[in-house]
Amino acid sequence: MKSPYELTEQQFESLVQIAQKKYNSHLERYILRRSLAVISNYLENYNRVFALRVDLRFAQCHVPGEPDLPICFQEDDEKAITRAIESLKSQLREEHRRSGRADEPAPLGYIWAKERDTSEHYHYHLVLLFNKDVYAYLGDYANPDADNMGTRIQKAWCSAIKLDYPHYASRVEFPENHSTWFTRQDALTLSPDYYDFLIRGAYLAKEYSKNFHNGYRNFGTSQLID
């Protein structure tokens, strides 16, 4: 059954045109449709949502121009994004347990896209979705001793690529306007802030800098919640 928070076909096409012009790139419609489905499905389950944009990058693993002089030994395989998400989920389950909150923890919603431009390694762009009644802020991620969403994500990525935290915490980047908050009403009315979030999220669907021919996935999402 169609979600009440889904865009109409006309609204979807308008979003495509605006995002393609903004990012100067063709959009993969399947990626965008799946991303929007994850967002609308999350709203079906939670009235208030905290959304976070994150970029995950690998470290420089050898001296520039000297591939035989390693700086670090990281795990930069295709499963890194899966390990990072599972690590974050594990931290959220532990935080839920410590807090003594009743019921099961709210599932993590996520959308990720893998890209590579001129750098040695590819990188990941993510949108993370949280129940705002539980998690509402990124926190001071510059403080390595803090326990907040920013440091949890940093720890998850360092764990995934097997590099020390906090020394490599900077491999997690939170772009400008990284945090967004919206409600079901925002989605129903396409409020300016919510629509701006959809446009920024559409960045993950751009065709430019994605490799569709190497046999590996370049896009993934959380499962829809029943």
Side-chain angles (χ1 to χ4, degrees):
M1 187 171 65
K2 182 179 175 64
S3 169
Y5 310 110
E6 288 183 26
L7 300 182
T8 66
E9 193 61 27
Q10 182 178 3
Q11 290 169 336
F12 176 82
E13 290 300 330
S14 177
L15 179 67
V16 169
Q17 296 305 315
I18 292 171
Q20 287 186 154
K21 183 176 181 180
K22 179 178 178 67
Y23 302 124
N24 194 29
S25 172
H26 177 75
L27 293 192
E28 289 296 322
R29 277 174 162 75
Y30 164 74
I31 293 179
L32 183 57
R33 287 188 188 279
R34 177 65 184 183
S35 300
L36 294 174
V38 170
I39 295 166
S40 60
N41 176 255
Y42 210 79
L43 280 165
E44 288 183 57
N45 290 273
Y46 303 103
N47 177 45
R48 303 196 303 165
V49 177
F50 166 44
L52 185 59
R53 268 280 291 112
V54 185
D55 296 330
L56 304 178
R57 300 182 183 276
F58 291 99
Q60 176 70 42
C61 56
H62 56 76
V63 175
E66 298 289 346
D68 294 330
L69 295 177
I71 298 173
C72 67
F73 296 94
Q74 63 188 333
E75 293 199 12
D76 55 1
D77 59 285
E78 296 291 327
K79 295 293 186 181
I81 186 64
T82 301
R83 294 193 297 270
I85 290 170
E86 290 305 313
S87 176
L88 180 58
K89 287 180 179 179
S90 177
Q91 292 181 72
L92 294 178
R93 287 193 296 268
E94 176 59 22
E95 192 279 331
H96 182 86
R97 185 194 65 77
R98 291 197 312 268
S99 70
R101 289 190 294 271
D103 303 320
E104 292 295 313
L108 172 69
Y110 61 85
I111 305 158
W112 61 261
K114 183 178 69 177
E115 297 186 355
R116 181 176 179 179
D117 38 36
T118 59
S119 60
E120 176 185 0
H121 293 287
Y122 51 86
H123 57 273
Y124 292 98
H125 300 294
L126 285 83
V127 172
L128 301 175
L129 304 174
F130 304 92
N131 176 5
K132 185 177 180 290
D133 291 335
V134 180
Y135 301 114
Y137 300 101
L138 177 63
D140 180 12
Y141 59 87
N143 177 5
D145 296 321
D147 180 21
N148 54 48
M149 197 57 67
T151 57
R152 291 180 198 124
I153 296 168
Q154 290 174 333
K155 290 175 183 177
W157 185 236
C158 286
S159 173
I161 61 177
K162 302 298 188 290
L163 292 179
D164 292 336
Y165 173 87
H167 186 71
Y168 287 95
S170 63
R171 295 295 79 205
V172 175
E173 299 176 0
F174 300 102
E176 188 177 358
N177 298 323
H178 46 67
S179 296
T180 306
W181 302 265
F182 52 85
T183 66
R184 290 170 177 165
Q185 186 64 20
D186 290 323
L188 290 173
T189 60
L190 280 184
S191 70
D193 286 346
Y194 179 69
Y195 198 70
D196 180 66
F197 163 70
L198 296 184
I199 292 173
R200 287 188 283 125
Y203 182 85
L204 276 65
K206 66 184 177 65
E207 185 180 79
Y208 174 74
S209 71
K210 288 187 176 67
N211 188 336
F212 293 94
H213 309 291
N214 64 358
Y216 294 109
R217 295 175 64 201
N218 53 42
F219 168 73
T221 72
S222 54
Q223 296 298 310
L224 300 186
I225 308 168
D226 292 332

